[in-house]
Amino acid sequence: MKKNIWISICLAIVFLSGCGKDAQTYFEEASPTSEEADVSETTFGEHAGDQDETCCVYICGAVQNPGVYELMAGSRIYEAINMAGGLLEHASEDSINQAEELVDGQMIKILTKEEAKDQASAQTEQKESDGRVNLNTADADELMSLPGIGEAKAMSILSYREERGAFSSIEDIMNITGIKEGVYSKIKDYITVN
């Protein structure tokens, strides 16, 4: 009987000392080191900041899946096109500058080849009919033909049009940085939005 009690006590000691060691090892492995804690905090901080560094754009027209897409700030139009499933077969690839940086809230319309051709014809007809430059359809060269409009202002007009859509009146051109009353008075007789 004493022998059985002695064996039970020995087994209990071995069992308890083994559990204590395993529990300590378990807690050491489960607890992050100070370096791991720092990394996880840094990672969380980076992801939290990422939310502020995104932009939403609406891509429509000749793409596979038109819609609103969220991309990292600083992304380019070609990346938005890829997120929308790519261009359709009849898309006019050169109707838009695919290397342009995206702006939050921007609408990107990809024209079909036929639409691009029609737009070019409309621009030519408008220019031939009254000699005025249409702010909603003119390219950079046409805009630079206006008095007081150089390359920088022409690019600002194009960017404004892509970001905010069509000009509703010729006076809207004064919303562009660098174009105020003085420049407007020089060009108002040479521009149109029709």
Side-chain angles (χ1 to χ4, degrees):
M1 181 77 175
K2 287 182 181 180
K3 190 174 181 182
N4 286 343
I5 292 174
W6 179 248
I7 292 173
S8 297
I9 291 173
C10 288
L11 286 173
I13 291 172
V14 170
F15 178 76
L16 290 174
S17 65
C19 284
K21 184 176 179 184
D22 287 342
Q24 182 180 0
T25 304
Y26 172 77
F27 285 115
E28 285 175 359
E29 289 173 358
S31 301
T33 65
S34 61
E35 289 178 330
E36 289 171 339
D38 290 344
V39 168
S40 64
E41 286 173 15
T42 303
T43 304
F44 175 78
E46 287 171 359
H47 287 301
D50 285 350
Q51 293 174 349
D52 298 333
E53 297 174 2
T54 61
C55 65
C56 289
V57 296
Y58 173 53
I59 184 162
C60 59
V63 291
Q64 296 288 341
N65 302 304
V68 176
Y69 292 92
E70 185 175 2
L71 295 95
M72 294 300 297
S75 297
R76 307 290 173 160
I77 287 179
Y78 80 89
E79 294 173 291
I81 291 171
N82 288 341
M83 284 189 80
L87 297 173
L88 295 175
E89 189 177 318
H90 60 283
S92 173
E93 290 185 36
D94 54 357
S95 67
I96 194 161
N97 178 4
Q98 295 186 40
E100 183 181 329
E101 191 170 324
L102 296 171
V103 176
D104 188 48
Q106 182 177 4
M107 181 180 108
I108 305 157
K109 181 169 184 182
I110 307 299
L111 301 177
T112 64
K113 291 173 184 172
E114 188 174 327
E115 288 171 334
K117 186 178 175 182
D118 290 346
Q119 187 179 70
S121 297
Q123 287 175 2
T124 304
E125 286 173 19
Q126 178 65 37
K127 195 169 181 183
E128 288 172 356
S129 65
D130 63 8
R132 293 187 295 170
V133 174
N134 188 327
L135 296 177
N136 291 324
T137 58
D139 61 18
D141 290 333
E142 290 173 306
L143 292 169
M144 287 189 291
S145 71
L146 296 167
I149 303 295
E151 185 176 357
K153 287 180 183 162
M155 296 312 290
S156 294
I157 293 169
L158 294 176
S159 294
Y160 180 93
R161 193 170 72 199
E162 287 179 9
E163 291 167 18
R164 300 190 184 186
F167 289 93
S168 57
S169 70
I170 61 172
E171 291 83 10
D172 286 349
I173 198 164
M174 289 189 288
N175 293 331
I176 294 170
T177 305
I179 301 178
K180 297 301 173 207
E181 288 287 339
V183 175
Y184 174 72
S185 64
K186 290 180 189 176
I187 64 173
K188 67 180 181 177
D189 295 330
Y190 303 104
I191 58 177
T192 185
V193 293
N194 296 329

